[in-house]
Amino acid sequence: TEVESGSVAGRTININYQTANDGAVAPSDYTSASGNFDMTDTNTVQCIPISIISDSVTETDEECFTFTISTTSTSPGLTLSPTSATICISGEGDPSSEPLTIGLQQSYYSTVEGSGPVEICLVVLSGDITGNSFSISYSTSNGQAQAPGDYVAETGSFTVSDSSECVSISIQSDSVSEPGLECFLVSFSTSDTGFTLKSPSVATVCIRDAVITTPVTIGLQESQYTVTESEDYQFVCAEVQSGDVAGRDIEIDFVIDDSDGAMTQNGTLLFTDDATIQCVAVSVSSVSAGSTDESCLTLTLSPSTTVTGLTISPSLATICKVLAEELDNTVTLGLQRSYYSPEEDSGSLQVCVEVVSGEVSGRTITLSYETIDGTATGRWLWL
């Protein structure tokens, strides 16, 4: 079982596994297995050994059993696919009659700076290697990861005479913050005959920073919402306002309280490089419409775990329910955005205020504004 996409950084995902008969029967054909294991940012591949039993019964057809995985983890964004594998046992039962094939145990490895060397293994995939030995050459090559800064380059050869042999590649640790994954390749080749080196014979090794310190700001898109008594839900959204979440998953907790401070909803939002905006459907069905604080809910954001470089702002939103006739006379104005991060020499910056709700028809509303250092002042007019 492996992490095929995304990142489990900062999370521990528990996986359950179970074998089941499907023609092949345990314990006469194989040893049944069940249990669980954890997937973490340093354990992105987990293997379960299944013993195949040899017997004296002639079975001309393949007999199969299944291996399935499941989880009770509720981690946001988690998908298990595929969840089932079929293992079929040949009726011949004589490995010496099969062609000898050697290949990579896995073609993708993920590691973290400072977590130690990576072991890349070749295994006998079919046939019988007993009494034989073969020489296999290997070499590393740069990708985004560069030797010697990110890993120690290796070139050499080793002899395979058993069911598996491994090559150890040292991973370097540095103080440079490098968002995302940096990868390099380990290639295997041979000039020996008598066996097949299965393709692909190139392993990809990807390295992630132990701690990513790139600053990132996540905040609510709006801090004030108004709904009428006929509405049951209001969507409140948060977004990555500046910085980059590449290479890390950032979990933000939200809590919704009523006017008495009692929690009505809570949960977690997951921000990744592919999901930079997340929304919460806030239930307002239990809130009575009116013009007092009792007609309002508050939503507060906070980090699930300590994330270096993370700022949450704004972190508080108020959702108020009003009578329809009150809303007809109510106008809400607000900044389109509460955070801007222009580059130097990018020219002028437009900071905009908009009508969030209500109508200004027939009215003129004047707002004053000024910068923090007082270098610019003025007024907006809505007509």
Side-chain angles (χ1 to χ4, degrees):
T1 301
E2 65 179 348
V3 177
E4 294 187 338
S5 64
S7 172
V8 293
R11 291 185 281 178
T12 298
I13 299 173
N14 186 257
I15 302 295
N16 302 310
Y17 64 88
Q18 176 74 52
T19 57
N21 296 339
D22 187 15
V25 178
S28 58
D29 295 314
Y30 71 98
T31 301
S32 63
S34 63
N36 62 82
F37 53 81
D38 290 331
M39 305 293 284
T40 67
D41 54 356
T42 56
N43 292 296
T44 58
V45 177
Q46 294 282 10
C47 300
I48 304 299
I50 306 293
S51 298
I52 306 301
I53 306 302
S54 178
D55 57 35
S56 58
V57 179
T58 301
E59 298 156 324
T60 57
D61 297 326
E62 288 186 336
E63 294 184 320
C64 305
F65 64 95
T66 59
F67 181 93
T68 58
I69 58 172
S70 62
T71 184
T72 57
S73 295
T74 58
S75 185
L78 172 63
T79 299
L80 290 184
S81 180
T83 59
S84 178
T86 301
I87 301 96
C88 293
I89 306 169
S90 172
E92 294 299 324
D94 182 8
S96 64
S97 65
E98 299 180 29
L100 180 59
T101 303
I102 298 173
L104 286 165
Q105 187 176 45
Q106 61 189 76
S107 59
Y108 178 84
Y109 294 79
S110 176
T111 188
V112 178
E113 283 186 354
S115 61
V118 175
E119 297 286 327
I120 301 173
C121 299
L122 294 180
V123 298
V124 174
L125 300 174
S126 66
D128 187 359
I129 199 172
T130 304
N132 295 293
S133 62
F134 302 96
S135 178
I136 295 179
S137 300
Y138 65 92
S139 62
T140 57
S141 58
N142 290 336
Q144 298 94 336
Q146 303 279 313
D150 297 313
Y151 71 98
V152 177
E154 298 280 357
T155 300
S157 63
F158 60 92
T159 299
V160 178
S161 58
D162 204 345
S163 58
S164 67
E165 293 291 341
C166 301
V167 174
S168 180
I169 308 295
S170 296
I171 305 300
Q172 306 283 55
S173 182
D174 57 39
S175 59
V176 180
S177 177
E178 300 154 322
L181 295 175
E182 294 186 313
C183 305
F184 66 95
L185 303 177
V186 183
S187 303
F188 297 86
S189 62
T190 185
S191 58
D192 283 5
T193 59
F195 79 103
T196 299
L197 181 60
K198 185 175 180 175
S199 180
S201 57
V202 178
T204 301
V205 182
C206 292
I207 309 168
R208 182 173 62 254
D209 269 8
V211 177
I212 300 175
T213 59
T214 306
V216 60
T217 298
I218 296 174
L220 292 162
Q221 289 182 336
E222 299 180 32
S223 57
Q224 179 70 48
Y225 296 83
T226 302
V227 298
T228 65
E229 70 269 27
S230 62
E231 298 177 85
D232 292 327
Y233 291 93
Q234 170 65 52
F235 283 94
V236 177
C237 298
E239 65 180 347
V240 177
Q241 296 182 346
S242 68
D244 192 358
V245 295
R248 52 181 167 172
D249 294 348
I250 298 179
E251 293 182 338
I252 304 294
D253 291 336
F254 69 87
V255 175
I256 300 171
D257 296 322
D258 62 17
S259 58
D260 295 325
M263 184 179 67
T264 62
Q265 286 179 249
N266 70 306
T268 301
L269 305 176
L270 176 64
F271 293 86
T272 69
D273 50 358
D274 295 322
T276 58
I277 298 178
Q278 296 286 4
C279 298
V280 179
V282 179
S283 174
V284 294
S285 59
S286 62
V287 180
S288 300
S291 57
T292 66
D293 290 342
E294 294 180 357
S295 303
C296 300
L297 299 174
T298 58
L299 182 147
T300 307
L301 300 181
S302 61
S304 297
T305 58
T306 301
V307 178
T308 303
L310 172 64
T311 299
I312 302 179
S313 179
S315 60
L316 177 67
T318 303
I319 308 98
C320 295
K321 181 180 281 191
V322 300
L323 298 172
E325 55 267 25
E326 293 178 350
L327 188 62
D328 291 340
N329 297 315
T330 300
V331 177
T332 301
L333 307 178
L335 289 165
Q336 284 185 337
R337 296 183 60 186
S338 60
Y339 184 90
Y340 295 82
S341 181
E343 296 181 358
E344 290 184 352
D345 303 323
S346 60
S348 62
L349 172 66
Q350 297 289 331
V351 180
C352 300
V353 174
E354 64 180 350
V355 177
V356 177
S357 63
E359 294 288 343
V360 295
S361 177
R363 287 184 282 182
T364 298
I365 302 173
T366 301
L367 294 181
S368 298
Y369 69 89
E370 63 178 340
T371 58
I372 291 176
D373 60 7
T375 57
T377 62
R379 294 189 299 173
W380 280 289
L381 285 179
W382 275 267
L383 302 175

